[in-house]
């Protein structure tokens, strides 16, 4: 069942908190996430759920800004978190979703972002201990942004680099580096700042990347992230 988490006292002129509904079949994970977010300024956990049905009920009752959910939970323990994310895209398109996964599974990341990355994030559960990363993901999706776990991207890029005949073999080391930032949802300007390049240079590299991958027309942020995950997912479960 979903359990109500007491509201904190709000200041008279305080900005509205980001209202979060949390779902995971593990009590320890729910408690850990709730504890981390309890000290995060501007975030309020309004319900904590252990299965898909209670999560759906909590969403309808609380109308949260963000849902933080595991992928697998009762009743079937398959991909209920993704099912709810898809439901939200149809019924509550302004509600952000942060998927917390135990493993780096790109096929799930691809499914999450299949219809666009806006308001979607995919993090590994070991990020819970790093409060800033979870908080950043929640804040990002609440405002329509996206985030993909750096570990997921880096591990799979390295695996694909070792794969004979894969499309990454055509990319230069600099293009591979920039692709990792693209897959994590960074803007061109953010990549330029991180790598100490001009924005024009980054744009030129990205044009080359998508040309080599046969995706020269996919220049919007959503399709950039999707293309990177499709590409990375080729090495998963093969």
């Amino acid at each position: 069942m979903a359990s109500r988490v007491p509201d904190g006292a709000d200041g008279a002129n305080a900005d509205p908190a980001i209202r979060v509904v949390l779902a995971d079949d593990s009590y320890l994970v729910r408690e850990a996430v709730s504890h981390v977010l309890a000290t995060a300024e501007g975030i309020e956990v309004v319900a904590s759920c252990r299965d898909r049905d209670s999560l759906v009920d909590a969403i309808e009752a609380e109308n949260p800004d963000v849902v933080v959910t595991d992928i697998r939970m009762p009743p079937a323990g398959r991909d209920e978190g993704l099912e709810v994310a898809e439901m939200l895209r149809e019924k509550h398109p302004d509600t952000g979703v942060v998927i917390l996964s135990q493993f780096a599974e790109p096929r799930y990341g691809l499914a999450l972002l299949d219809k666009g990355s806006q308001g979607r994030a995919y993090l590994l559960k070991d990020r819970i201990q790093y409060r800033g990363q979870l908080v950043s993901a929640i804040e990002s999706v609440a405002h329509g942004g996206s985030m993909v776990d750096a570990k997921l991207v880096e591990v799979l890029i390295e695996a694909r680099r070792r794969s004979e005949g894969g499309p990454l073999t055509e990319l230069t080391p600099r293009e591979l580096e920039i692709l990792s930032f693209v897959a994590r949802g960074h803007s061109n300007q953010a990549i330029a700042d991180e790598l100490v390049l001009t924005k024009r240079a980054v744009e030129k590299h990205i044009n080359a990347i998508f040309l080599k991958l046969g995706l020269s027309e996919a220049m919007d942020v959503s399709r950039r992230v999707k293309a990177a995950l499709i590409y990375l997912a080729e090495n998963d479960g093969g």
Side-chain angles (χ1 to χ4, degrees), residues 22 40 42 53 92 96-97 122 170 184 203-206 216:
L22 168 66
D53 293 343
H92 303 281
V97 177
Y122 188 102
E170 299 185 17
R184 300 203 296 270
E203 291 170 350
K204 185 175 180 180
H205 282 301
I206 289 175
S216 58

Side-chain angles (χ1 to χ4, degrees), residues 33-218:
V33 175
S34 295
H35 178 73
V36 166
L37 297 181
T39 59
E41 183 178 355
I43 295 177
E44 176 189 3
V45 178
V46 297
S48 180
C49 316
R50 66 170 301 274
D51 56 37
R52 181 192 61 198
D53 293 343
S54 60
L55 172 56
V56 171
D57 289 344
I59 290 169
E60 295 304 321
E62 301 292 347
N63 190 27
D65 302 299
V66 174
V67 170
V68 177
T69 180
D70 191 8
I71 292 176
R72 303 183 180 117
M73 67 185 79
R78 291 194 297 265
D79 59 357
E80 285 78 2
L82 295 176
E83 290 177 4
V84 172
E86 182 63 20
M87 178 272 289
L88 287 169
R89 195 181 294 278
E90 298 297 326
K91 294 186 176 181
H92 303 281
D94 293 331
T95 301
V97 177
V98 177
I99 291 289
L100 288 178
S101 177
Q102 186 174 355
F103 304 106
E105 299 178 88
R107 64 183 180 274
Y108 288 138
L110 173 59
L112 177 68
L113 303 178
D114 183 55
K115 295 181 181 178
S117 63
Q118 182 175 357
R120 296 294 181 265
Y122 188 102
L123 293 181
L124 300 182
K125 283 187 177 179
D126 61 9
R127 301 305 189 200
I128 294 174
Q129 62 183 306
Y130 304 110
R131 183 174 75 100
Q133 294 189 32
L134 179 56
V135 170
S136 292
I138 290 172
E139 291 175 343
S140 179
V141 301
H143 296 94
S146 64
M147 182 179 293
V148 179
D149 196 289
K151 184 175 180 181
L152 173 69
V153 175
E154 290 167 3
V155 168
L156 294 176
I157 281 183
E158 182 59 30
R160 286 301 286 163
R161 289 185 66 179
R162 296 193 299 267
S163 176
E164 293 184 1
L168 278 179
T169 59
E170 299 185 17
L171 302 185
T172 67
R174 175 63 88 182
E175 288 168 351
L176 286 168
E177 185 176 28
I178 289 175
L179 177 57
S180 72
F181 284 101
V182 170
R184 300 203 296 270
H186 285 60
S187 67
N188 290 356
Q189 186 61 61
I191 297 172
D193 293 342
E194 188 73 24
L195 299 180
V196 195
L197 297 171
T198 66
K199 185 179 178 182
R200 183 174 180 81
V202 171
E203 291 170 350
K204 185 175 180 180
H205 282 301
I206 289 175
N207 284 335
I209 290 168
F210 283 107
L211 182 63
K212 291 177 180 179
L213 298 180
L215 296 167
S216 58
E217 299 300 318

